[in-house]
Amino acid sequence: MKKFFLFSLIILVIACQGNPEKKPQMSEEKLYRPAFHFTPKKSWMNDPNGMFYYKGTYHLYFQYYPDDNVWGPMHWGHATSKDMVHWEEHPIALYPDEMGYIFSGSAVVDHKNTSGFGQDGKTPIVALFTHHNMEKEKAAQVDVETQSIAYSLDEGMTWIKYAGNPVIENPEIRDFRDPKVIWDDNSNQWIMALAAHDNVRFYASPNLKDWSYLSNFGFDKGHYGGVWECPDLFPLKVAGSDEIKWVLFVSINPGGPNGGSATQYFVGDFDGTNFVLDQDFAKDLENRNDFWVDFGRDNYAGVTWQNIQRDNGNRLFIGWMSNWDYAQEVPTHAWRSAMTIAREIGLIKTTQGYRLTNIPVEEAQQTLEPLTLDSKTLLGNMKLELAIDSMKKVGYVLSNDLGEKLEFGYDPAKQHFYIDRTKAGKNDFSEKFAPQHSYAPRFTEKKTIQGTMILDKTSIELFWDNGQTVMTEIFFPNAPFNQITKIE
């Protein structure tokens, strides 16, 4: 086998031309507003919520506070897309009410009208979310969070809250939130995964209104550096086989592999009542504990779209591209936060066991143009393919005329990938933003390493070995990067 790897580099930036010292400072909008990652037009955003696909449209709801650029009373914002690349923002979908703020959750297309909300032949869309009672929180009560629903009869554009809310009362658990619901064909019922402080609780319902507790998972499994949040349970077909395994996402804050927020995953089986770890995966989990959706510092609370999958059985995913260590302090002011690029989630079985993969959706990759490494100006939609010796330590440096730089690469001696954003621009807004490099392990011994990098003004997303190792991080240069160089 040849001792080199093919690295596919995709870059989308706005170039800084000429001497920046002789030109007016660029506006925040031009310098930092992502070109193709979703951001709200103004104010604060965090977790993606209620994602479903219906009649050719991808719906993305999100935690939103319209009155400031920091976290506040949570609403559900709303955006739609035909391709997961170009987004249109819509009016706020759900507002806080007398029961509390509208925390994270999910939405399902109720094709069979199990809920009974459908009228005049209209298919109901049902949203499931957490009501968070701030008065109870201020009073130091435990039962601050309950689960509620709302429904839409106009394909997710407007919503009616259910008069019988809450549909799940609080069982005296302080952190009890983020319902993610799917339809399970095998058990012929709706299944909810719900975060409960340090475990995930599973519930079942025939109609999305009446829920019965089934079981739980967690306590001594995976990482416990912080509270468990935003679970997502779904089946995946193992690539190259007819085998079906169930995957459970659990976000944790703090406790990530490079500090702060991150999302771990588990592989097992679900029988309609219990989620049980695959025996081999359980052994791998005890030995390594490195099962992360993304090893970078800026991919949190991500979940999958409901009601759609690829022809190969893979699911579609998006995450919040920030970290609670510094999300409220990053140097944007008109808006704060962006979503990751949409990704295709798959599952493979290797000699080292089951491994999740995630790669940029094809719809996004098709928007980019080829680029050569010797280009001195990075302008427009560009794609760079590289072939290098995999036995040497190799890095790539993105830089600008101010001397700011971001470095990423692979070190074969340590068998890890890395990102260094310590000199990539502004970082004095938080001591936790760039205290050191970020690292991620490599999971295959193949001599050929394939990789894809996506750069969009203030974010880098690296997909190594067909998405077995992924790293996502944000940065804030004082001028756009306009050069890429290779170092060995």
Side-chain angles (χ1 to χ4, degrees), residues 217 221-223 228 243 245-250 263-269 275-293 347-357 443:
F217 169 84
K221 305 294 192 299
H223 292 267
W228 280 22
E243 183 182 19
K245 303 299 285 188
W246 285 73
V247 175
L248 175 64
F249 284 177
V250 178
T263 302
Q264 57 190 323
Y265 70 92
F266 305 91
V267 178
D269 298 289
F275 174 75
V276 180
L277 284 182
D278 175 86
Q279 290 184 356
D280 291 336
F281 184 88
K283 293 178 182 177
D284 292 338
L285 187 64
E286 290 179 2
N287 294 333
R288 295 203 307 271
N289 256 340
D290 57 10
F291 296 94
W292 298 98
V293 175
L347 188 66
I348 61 174
K349 191 171 186 180
T350 72
T351 56
Q352 298 183 19
Y354 293 102
R355 177 65 52 186
L356 194 78
T357 64
F443 299 108

Side-chain angles (χ1 to χ4, degrees), residues 104-126:
S104 292
S106 55
V108 297
V109 181
D110 186 12
H111 285 291
K112 299 178 181 179
N113 195 24
T114 63
S115 63
F117 291 139
Q119 299 175 14
D120 301 324
K122 297 178 180 178
T123 299
I125 312 296
V126 181

Side-chain angles (χ1 to χ4, degrees), residues 190-254:
W190 297 101
I191 300 295
M192 176 191 292
L194 186 67
H197 185 69
D198 59 358
N199 67 102
V200 174
R201 293 168 67 97
F202 300 108
Y203 293 80
S205 174
N207 58 15
L208 298 167
K209 301 174 183 176
D210 304 304
W211 292 91
S212 301
Y213 171 73
L214 296 174
S215 63
N216 62 8
F217 169 84
F219 299 112
D220 59 347
K221 305 294 192 299
H223 292 267
Y224 284 90
V227 173
W228 280 22
E229 297 184 306
C230 302
D232 191 0
L233 177 70
F234 53 88
L236 274 182
K237 185 177 180 180
V238 180
S241 76
D242 293 325
E243 183 182 19
I244 301 294
K245 303 299 285 188
W246 285 73
V247 175
L248 175 64
F249 284 177
V250 178
S251 289
I252 182 171
N253 175 55

Side-chain angles (χ1 to χ4, degrees), residues 84-244:
M84 296 175 286
V85 178
H86 305 92
W87 294 95
E88 178 184 359
E89 190 171 353
H90 300 288
I92 292 171
L94 293 173
Y95 287 81
D97 55 36
E98 67 279 0
M99 294 182 64
Y101 297 173
I102 311 298
F103 272 20
S104 292
S106 55
V108 297
V109 181
D110 186 12
H111 285 291
K112 299 178 181 179
N113 195 24
T114 63
S115 63
F117 291 139
Q119 299 175 14
D120 301 324
K122 297 178 180 178
T123 299
I125 312 296
V126 181
L128 305 101
F129 58 91
T130 297
H131 261 125
H132 183 94
N133 190 310
M134 287 301 296
E135 296 304 316
K136 287 187 174 183
E137 179 180 322
K138 292 175 182 177
Q141 294 179 242
V142 173
D143 60 336
V144 299
E145 294 174 339
T146 55
Q147 314 315 313
S148 296
I149 62 176
Y151 64 95
S152 172
L153 297 177
D154 58 2
E155 302 178 10
M157 302 310 294
T158 61
W159 295 86
I160 301 168
K161 291 173 183 173
Y162 178 47
N165 283 334
V167 295
I168 301 179
E169 297 280 2
N170 189 291
E172 296 299 315
I173 298 175
R174 173 59 181 82
D175 300 295
F176 182 69
R177 56 179 174 264
D178 310 336
K180 185 63 163 64
V181 175
I182 62 169
W183 176 262
D184 179 28
D185 285 326
N186 293 328
S187 59
N188 197 37
Q189 60 188 343
W190 297 101
I191 300 295
M192 176 191 292
L194 186 67
H197 185 69
D198 59 358
N199 67 102
V200 174
R201 293 168 67 97
F202 300 108
Y203 293 80
S205 174
N207 58 15
L208 298 167
K209 301 174 183 176
D210 304 304
W211 292 91
S212 301
Y213 171 73
L214 296 174
S215 63
N216 62 8
F217 169 84
F219 299 112
D220 59 347
K221 305 294 192 299
H223 292 267
Y224 284 90
V227 173
W228 280 22
E229 297 184 306
C230 302
D232 191 0
L233 177 70
F234 53 88
L236 274 182
K237 185 177 180 180
V238 180
S241 76
D242 293 325
E243 183 182 19
I244 301 294

Side-chain angles (χ1 to χ4, degrees), residues 34-79:
F36 63 91
H37 290 77
F38 175 74
T39 57
K41 294 178 182 177
K42 69 179 188 69
S43 303
W44 169 267
M45 176 184 75
N46 54 290
D47 305 359
N49 295 157
M51 294 149 51
F52 71 91
Y53 176 81
Y54 190 57
K55 293 186 177 180
T57 299
Y58 297 90
H59 289 259
L60 168 65
Y61 300 85
F62 49 91
Q63 291 286 273
Y64 186 54
Y65 181 39
D67 298 328
D68 205 342
N69 62 5
V70 294
W71 190 94
M74 286 290 97
H75 303 55
W76 270 24
H78 184 204

Side-chain angles (χ1 to χ4, degrees), residues 308-375:
I308 187 173
Q309 61 184 35
R310 294 306 205 199
D311 291 340
N312 58 9
N314 291 349
R315 293 178 71 90
L316 300 175
F317 164 98
I318 204 167
W320 176 46
M321 197 158 57
S322 197
N323 188 311
W324 280 113
D325 272 355
Y326 43 75
Q328 300 186 87
E329 301 168 329
V330 297
T332 62
H333 300 91
W335 82 96
R336 278 213 172 102
S337 298
M339 296 299 178
T340 68
I341 195 168
R343 304 175 181 188
E344 181 176 322
I345 298 290
L347 188 66
I348 61 174
K349 191 171 186 180
T350 72
T351 56
Q352 298 183 19
Y354 293 102
R355 177 65 52 186
L356 194 78
T357 64
N358 69 99
I359 59 175
V361 295
E362 185 63 27
E363 293 89 333
Q365 297 202 50
Q366 289 176 352
T367 66
L368 303 156
E369 299 294 335
L371 172 72
T372 59
L373 183 60
D374 58 0
S375 296

